[in-house]
Amino acid sequence: MNILLVLAFLFFTGSTAGWILEVFWRRFFSKNNPEKKWLNPGFLTGPYLPLYGLSLIILFSLSFTDVSFIKAPALQKVILFIFMSICITTIEYIAGLIFIKGMKIRLWDYSKNRFNIKGIICPQYSFYWIILSAIYYFLIHPRILSWLYWFTNHLTFSFAVGFFWGVFTLDLCYTFKLSAKIRKFAKEEKIIIKYENLKESFRKKNEELKEKTRFLFPLKSDIKSIRELLHDIFKSQ
């Protein structure tokens, strides 16, 4: 199989599935959404979360790790899942740190969780990664090779994944252009902007302006520029 096609498929599948998982988590279980609204959980506009795409690639790769040097079969699996969680948590930490230091944006905030590190990672969510690693290993990995063979032999689906990457690239350009404006404002005000709080503030501000709240474009307004809205939001706080 072409390794680039395999990686493209895994990233596409993981990013999309992760977005769906986060949408339902925030709608029904998240304490940060007391109104139980449907929220777009992503930094990007479209229905995908790149962190989950990278995580699926990591899970796929590490599932082939030889842990036969550990004698107890059950312990083999536990050690493997912990190692998977550590790798994904490391990626999560690096991504969060890059955005905080480089973009002045905090994409998520675990500062209220116990034993967190800089509000970027914490044991609770690392434990969730262990559970997701186990679910992947037992329910998905045994079937994923046959899915990959099917995918690489069906050009129609390959086109769908190619279309995803085209839209994803355009979305990256749009979002980073938007985040550059947020970064400029944050540097001027010498603050770190919490992205989830910002989206919620935009939603409430749009309601004040009698604008329709957008699911896919939560930081967009037809009445005011993003800079004007940022000033209005942070002046009122």
Side-chain angles (χ1 to χ4, degrees):
M1 290 185 290
N2 187 311
I3 187 63
L4 290 178
L5 281 178
V6 169
L7 293 177
F9 170 79
L10 292 173
F11 185 84
F12 159 73
T13 305
S15 298
T16 306
W19 185 88
I20 294 171
L21 177 65
E22 286 281 347
V23 165
F24 280 92
W25 172 267
R26 292 169 191 248
R27 173 64 174 81
F28 297 106
F29 304 105
S30 177
K31 296 179 181 178
N32 296 323
N33 182 22
E35 297 176 351
K36 300 301 179 183
K37 291 181 176 291
W38 291 104
L39 303 174
N40 183 353
F43 172 68
L44 299 170
T45 299
Y48 30 72
L49 291 174
L51 180 62
Y52 282 86
L54 292 174
S55 298
L56 183 57
I57 291 174
I58 290 172
L59 292 178
F60 174 77
S61 303
L62 294 182
S63 292
F64 297 100
T65 303
D66 184 8
V67 289
S68 59
F69 61 90
I70 301 173
K71 300 304 180 182
L75 186 58
Q76 289 179 0
K77 300 298 186 292
V78 171
I79 296 298
L80 180 59
F81 300 151
I82 291 175
F83 182 58
M84 288 175 169
S85 174
I86 290 172
C87 291
I88 296 173
T89 299
T90 301
I91 295 296
E92 187 178 21
Y93 180 77
I94 293 172
L97 201 60
I98 287 173
F99 272 88
I100 290 173
K101 297 295 185 181
M103 305 301 295
K104 306 298 181 185
I105 296 173
R106 182 181 290 277
L107 292 182
W108 57 85
D109 187 10
Y110 299 153
S111 58
K112 294 182 180 179
N113 295 67
R114 297 181 65 184
F115 309 115
N116 72 86
I117 300 177
K118 296 183 179 180
I120 302 175
I121 57 175
C122 68
Q124 179 183 342
Y125 282 86
S126 293
F127 177 71
Y128 292 158
W129 282 121
I130 293 176
I131 295 174
L132 288 175
S133 297
I135 292 173
Y136 167 81
Y137 187 86
F138 289 116
L139 299 182
I140 300 175
H141 189 69
R143 301 170 179 81
I144 202 166
L145 287 178
S146 61
W147 296 346
L148 289 171
Y149 277 116
W150 182 91
F151 159 67
T152 53
N153 287 287
H154 285 75
L155 292 178
T156 302
F157 192 70
S158 298
F159 173 79
V161 175
F163 179 79
F164 159 82
W165 275 96
V167 173
F168 179 74
T169 301
L170 292 174
D171 197 342
L172 276 177
C173 294
Y174 168 80
T175 303
F176 277 103
K177 182 179 178 181
L178 182 66
S179 62
K181 297 178 181 178
I182 298 174
R183 177 177 180 270
K184 183 178 179 181
F185 176 84
K187 288 187 71 176
E188 291 173 356
E189 300 294 325
K190 298 180 180 180
I191 58 174
I192 300 294
I193 292 180
K194 295 181 180 180
Y195 196 68
E196 292 301 319
N197 292 351
L198 181 63
K199 288 196 293 186
E200 177 63 15
S201 297
F202 262 70
R203 183 184 68 80
K204 291 179 179 178
K205 199 67 182 177
N206 281 337
E207 288 178 355
E208 291 177 13
L209 297 172
K210 306 301 181 182
E211 265 196 277
K212 182 180 179 181
T213 301
R214 295 173 171 84
F215 182 77
L216 291 180
F217 293 91
L219 300 186
K220 185 175 176 58
S221 171
D222 295 327
I223 298 175
K224 292 189 176 184
S225 68
I226 185 170
R227 187 173 185 80
E228 290 174 325
L229 284 171
L230 283 168
H231 274 295
D232 290 348
I233 289 166
F234 284 93
K235 281 180 180 178
S236 63
Q237 292 180 353

